[in-house]
Amino acid sequence: MICDSCGKEPATVHYKEMRGDESTEYHLCEKCALEKGIYITPDKKPFTVSNILGGMADEVGSDLETCEGCGLTYREFKDSGRLGCAKCYESFKEQLRPLLRRIHGSNAHMGKSPSSRQEIFEKKKEIDKIKEELAAAVDREEFEKAAELRDKLRELECS
Ligand SMILES: [Zn+2]
Ligand SMILES: [Zn+2]
């Protein structure tokens, strides 16, 4: 089987993407898979970061989503920070939702800033530690643990 994307390399990554009720199967070479944000575990299981972290890295893999109204891609929107037409919001709803939640979340916590240099330092240390644990959990495919750590991380980063 040949890679769907480049049509040259042998397809070694077989990835099924679920969107609602529909599923699309991709057969890709490793290079094209990576370009699409699909990673391969050491035992050749494909996954996207958004699969696992659902939200934290939600942009990965959805960059190529295109607005029906104006043809703007989500990646272009991210680069410019501007929506192209009234339909964009609808088109990128899925991608925007976590973003909006994040903005909302940080608003809610405004005014509660760490009171001392020491506190900031401690918090940063804690965040770094959790990030390391998160990466390790993903490596070990402990996705439940990864999700837990992700939530913890979000809480910390917003506080
Ligand atoms: Zn390819
Ligand atoms: Zn648009």
Side-chain angles (χ1 to χ4, degrees), residues 2-157:
I2 297 294
C3 169
D4 286 346
S5 183
C6 62
K8 282 180 218 148
E9 303 293 322
T12 51
V13 180
H14 308 285
Y15 174 70
K16 207 179 205 177
E17 188 181 60
M18 300 295 295
R19 269 173 205 266
D21 292 340
E22 280 175 50
S23 72
T24 317
E25 255 184 81
Y26 298 104
H27 306 282
L28 302 165
C29 68
E30 288 196 23
K31 195 170 145 274
C32 293
L34 261 182
E35 275 173 14
K36 291 185 189 302
I38 300 165
Y39 297 80
I40 304 113
T41 60
D43 54 349
K44 299 273 175 208
K45 266 192 249 161
F47 68 93
T48 66
V49 171
S50 50
N51 275 165
I52 301 159
L53 302 180
M56 188 170 184
D58 49 273
E59 296 92 339
V60 178
S62 53
D63 271 11
L64 298 174
E65 202 91 352
T66 310
C67 170
E68 285 174 22
C70 63
L72 189 85
T73 63
Y74 183 62
R75 181 176 294 170
E76 285 166 344
F77 160 65
K78 269 200 310 187
D79 287 347
S80 70
R82 269 195 303 259
L83 295 171
C85 71
K87 257 193 159 175
C88 282
Y89 183 79
E90 189 60 27
S91 308
F92 304 136
K93 198 171 55 191
E94 284 309 310
Q95 290 91 330
L96 288 171
R97 195 181 296 149
L99 206 71
L100 293 174
R101 205 185 296 138
R102 222 171 290 163
I103 293 165
H104 183 78
S106 55
N107 276 346
H109 286 282
M110 263 215 300
K112 201 184 124 200
S113 58
S115 55
S116 69
R117 207 175 272 254
Q118 177 67 17
E119 229 172 282
I120 295 168
F121 178 74
E122 289 294 331
K123 195 177 132 186
K124 196 184 165 304
K125 228 169 58 177
E126 171 107 41
I127 287 174
D128 285 347
K129 200 177 125 232
I130 294 176
K131 275 187 181 160
E132 259 172 48
E133 280 177 31
L134 179 59
V138 170
D139 271 349
R140 291 195 302 267
E141 294 186 49
E142 293 173 4
F143 300 149
E144 255 176 58
K145 173 133 192 246
E148 230 171 75
L149 288 166
R150 177 206 62 207
D151 290 343
K152 226 165 147 191
L153 199 59
R154 263 197 203 150
E155 240 171 67
L156 267 175
E157 284 182 329

